[in-house]
Each structure stands twice: as C-alpha cells, then as structure tokens.
Amino acid sequence: MKKIVWLILAFTIMACATSGQSHSDYQQRRWQEAKIPHYRFELRIVCYCPFRGRMPLRIEVLDGQVVSMKDAHGGIITKADVHSEYFERHATIDRLFSILQTHQSGKADRVTVKFHPVYGFPERINIDRIKGASDDELGFIVSEFERLP
C-alpha cells in the first residue's frame, strides 16, 4: 500500500513540475486540432512603440495568411505602411505561438501567458526581456476572436 501512495505522490510531483513550455506546447496542439482555417480577431500590441494609438488591429486570416488588417481608426494597413512589416510578424495565431516559444526558450527573463479556454490560443502574452530594465516589456492581447465560415 505504501508503494502505491509513493508512486501516486511521485507522479503528482512530476505532473506539477512540467515547464511552461510544455503547457504552451499542449495549448498549441489544442489550437492545431481545432483546425480553424478562417478567423478574425483583434490584436493589441502593448509596448513603448510609436504606433500605440493605432491599437487594436483588426485582422482576418485565411489558411495561415493575412487577408486584411485594419488599425483602430479603420485604416487599411498595406505593405506601404511604415509599420506593416512589424504588424505582419504578429498577425496570426500561429505567429503568436512562435513568438511565445522563442521568448520562453530563454530569450526573455520572464514570460506569462493566458490561453483561450476552448481553442488554446494565447489570449494574453506578457514578455519581460530584461528583468529590472524599464521600457523593454512587450505584450500581446487577443480579443474579439471569431471563427469564420
């Protein structure tokens, strides 16, 4: 009987010791298994950046590609936009997972994330690249997610 109790205790401790990366991997699998090829969402990039007044972005994605992107004022973001390349880097759920993985694997001192309860995508990512430094934090907030036909 004691062996069974110890085994259960050992498995419980191992389960609690899983890294944030493993949890993120699990959530990413949930997102992939949902197989949502067409969706729209709002993305707020939180940083000390010159484009803060343009947030949130309204983004539509089809088969992993950005179909349209508008800023908070309804302005269409085209390739000619001075910030379009930066916005594009963050403009799909898969790209957000990629950013999360990069920073969780040692590129940042601290990363916190909250995942969507049904689809598993990151609803909120907070990245502190250098502990104790100011103005280096970066955040992403996903809201108004909708699955499209």
Side-chain angles (χ1 to χ4, degrees):
M1 183 66 171
K2 286 183 180 181
K3 287 183 182 181
I4 293 173
V5 171
W6 283 109
L7 280 173
I8 292 171
L9 181 61
F11 284 123
T12 303
I13 290 170
M14 287 185 340
C16 292
T18 60
S19 70
Q21 182 72 35
S22 296
H23 184 64
S24 295
D25 291 342
Y26 168 74
Q27 296 295 344
Q28 187 170 12
R29 279 192 305 276
R30 287 182 63 209
W31 166 251
Q32 291 167 343
E33 288 169 1
K35 296 183 184 193
I36 303 173
H38 195 196
Y39 57 93
R40 184 181 303 127
F41 68 103
E42 287 188 0
L43 175 66
R44 181 176 298 276
I45 301 171
V46 182
C47 60
Y48 295 100
C49 304
F51 52 75
R52 287 186 306 225
R54 298 178 74 185
M55 295 294 121
L57 303 175
R58 184 88 172 140
I59 303 167
E60 183 178 339
V61 177
L62 177 62
D63 295 328
Q65 301 300 312
V66 176
V67 174
S68 70
M69 189 175 351
K70 295 179 182 177
D71 65 20
H73 311 289
I76 298 171
I77 298 169
T78 66
K79 298 284 183 197
D81 188 292
V82 68
H83 299 115
S84 84
E85 186 178 321
Y86 187 80
F87 293 160
E88 282 280 336
R89 267 188 262 154
H90 310 96
T92 71
I93 298 297
D94 290 328
R95 292 175 194 166
L96 290 173
F97 269 113
S98 181
I99 290 162
L100 178 60
Q101 289 172 342
T102 297
H103 285 89
Q104 281 182 325
S105 63
K107 205 167 185 190
D109 281 338
R110 182 179 171 153
V111 179
T112 58
V113 61
K114 177 183 177 236
F115 294 99
H116 188 271
V118 176
Y119 297 123
F121 62 81
E123 288 185 309
R124 180 179 286 268
I125 302 171
N126 294 307
I127 300 166
D128 187 359
R129 293 178 261 205
I130 304 168
K131 186 178 179 179
S134 60
D135 299 349
D136 72 314
E137 293 83 8
L138 179 61
F140 302 95
I141 301 170
V142 173
S143 61
E144 305 301 318
F145 179 88
E146 57 184 309
R147 191 177 192 158
L148 299 173

